[in-house]
Amino acid sequence: MAIKIWDVATGALKLTLTGHIGQIYGLAFSPYHTCMFSAADDKQVKCWDLEYNKVIRSYHGHLSGVHCLALHPILDNVLFTGGSDSVCRVWDVRTKTQIHVLSHSNTVCSLLARSMDPQIVTGSHDSTIKFWDL
């Protein structure tokens, strides 16, 4: 599978990034660095350096497909990923270490990182929405 980046002004294809072997479900761009994160059905989360157009970090820990991801709007080193393994994993972006595992009883399909307190909101196929105080 591939990520395609387009020039919005001209409609021209600027770049194609390959590296995932499963369907890509989510992207998040860092407001602090020239990088982008991707989440896919291959259980992988990747960090792409957009200056050099290559993967610079991979985050391993999900047991099945990763369906959503979000960067914290204020904390520039915190990444959230949610997937079919019924958890939201909280990562330190720089060290690639998992900080927390936030559990549901079914697929985590949506994430919202809030700047207040700091908090993360997770939505799941278990019919719940949870607010987590980090």
Side-chain angles (χ1 to χ4, degrees), residues 1-5 15-20 24 36 48-50 53-54:
M1 298 294 167
I3 300 167
K4 296 190 180 280
I5 299 176
L15 181 62
T16 300
L17 302 171
T18 58
H20 283 288
I24 299 163
M36 173 184 68
W48 302 83
D49 183 318
L50 296 177
N53 305 323
K54 65 179 185 175

Side-chain angles (χ1 to χ4, degrees), residues 9 26 28 43 50-51 59 70 75 79 83 87 104 106 116 123:
K43 306 180 210 175
L50 296 177
E51 285 186 23
Y59 301 84
L75 305 172
L79 172 69
V87 297
H104 277 270
N106 206 325
M116 298 172 7

Side-chain angles (χ1 to χ4, degrees), residues 6-70:
W6 301 84
D7 184 318
V8 180
T10 65
L13 178 63
K14 290 178 66 172
L15 181 62
T16 300
L17 302 171
T18 58
H20 283 288
I21 56 172
Q23 184 173 354
I24 299 163
Y25 288 119
L27 298 173
F29 290 87
S30 172
Y32 303 102
H33 311 286
T34 57
C35 63
M36 173 184 68
F37 296 85
S38 58
D41 201 31
D42 58 8
K43 306 180 210 175
Q44 298 202 26
V45 176
K46 296 182 182 290
C47 178
W48 302 83
D49 183 318
L50 296 177
E51 285 186 23
Y52 297 100
N53 305 323
K54 65 179 185 175
V55 174
I56 56 172
R57 290 185 205 98
S58 293
Y59 301 84
H60 303 283
H62 280 281
L63 305 176
S64 54
V66 186
H67 292 273
C68 52
L69 74 167

Side-chain angles (χ1 to χ4, degrees), residues 61-114:
H62 280 281
L63 305 176
S64 54
V66 186
H67 292 273
C68 52
L69 74 167
L71 288 163
H72 195 276
I74 294 175
L75 305 172
D76 70 340
N77 62 335
V78 179
L79 172 69
F80 306 96
T81 59
S84 295
D85 54 0
S86 304
V87 297
C88 169
R89 296 182 188 275
V90 183
W91 304 91
D92 181 312
V93 169
R94 294 181 198 121
T95 63
K96 301 186 293 186
T97 55
Q98 188 175 276
I99 303 167
H100 299 292
V101 177
L102 311 173
S103 296
H104 277 270
S105 60
N106 206 325
T107 299
V108 175
C109 54
S110 62
L111 298 169
L112 173 65
R114 299 186 56 187

